[in-house]
Amino acid sequence: MADKTAFEIPEQMRALADKSVDQAKKAFDDFMGATVKAVEKSETSAKTLQSGARDVNRQALAFLEANVAASFDFAQKLVRARSVEELSQIQQDFLKKQVEAAQSQGKDMADTIGKAASEVQQQTKK
């Protein structure tokens, strides 16, 4: 049997190693905490962005539906017109209403997009 050679680690080295492990664990814990916060923040921002996109899409569909309905109404009025003057008046009325609708819809859409962007921006500040 071979003699066992006694090998002792000096107490100071043990203390230094122990302290190094504790510091590494703390650094890792801090890193993981920051990572979890970043992931939560991005998930919240993504949900807010999805909600805003959903609002914009719904509004766009509502505008599309209104514009198509106005176009069908316009077409029905055209086929019922009895004179060139009446056709001209129907067309002028339609164009005027559509320009007004486009302006209103553009403003509403800009407001909705601005609101969604603002909400996302607020979420990223938290």
Side-chain angles (χ1 to χ4, degrees):
M1 253 191 188
D3 288 336
K4 291 186 178 178
T5 305
F7 179 76
E8 280 192 37
I9 299 173
E11 188 61 37
Q12 289 177 326
M13 286 187 76
R14 284 184 203 201
L16 182 63
D18 191 41
K19 185 177 179 181
S20 294
V21 170
D22 286 344
Q23 287 175 342
K25 183 179 182 320
K26 183 184 180 325
F28 180 75
D29 289 344
D30 290 348
F31 170 77
M32 287 305 296
T35 301
V36 167
K37 284 180 184 177
V39 168
E40 288 172 352
K41 191 176 196 180
S42 70
E43 287 174 348
T44 300
S45 294
K47 287 176 185 174
T48 302
L49 185 59
Q50 286 175 339
S51 175
R54 189 173 24 255
D55 291 345
V56 169
N57 287 339
R58 286 180 181 154
Q59 190 173 44
L61 287 174
F63 291 157
L64 177 64
E65 185 178 10
N67 292 338
V68 169
S71 295
F72 279 121
D73 185 51
F74 171 62
Q76 285 180 333
K77 288 178 181 177
L78 282 179
V79 297
R80 294 180 186 148
R82 299 198 183 273
S83 67
V84 174
E85 292 81 15
E86 191 177 355
L87 280 173
S88 178
Q89 188 61 48
I90 291 169
Q91 185 175 18
Q92 286 177 13
D93 292 345
F94 174 73
L95 289 174
K96 180 182 177 190
K97 287 178 184 176
Q98 287 306 105
V99 167
E100 290 170 358
Q103 289 173 340
S104 175
Q105 291 169 359
K107 182 187 177 309
D108 291 347
M109 186 63 76
D111 290 346
T112 301
I113 291 170
K115 179 183 172 195
S118 177
E119 287 173 0
V120 170
Q121 187 178 28
Q122 288 175 358
Q123 288 297 325
T124 58
K125 288 181 180 179
K126 290 181 181 180

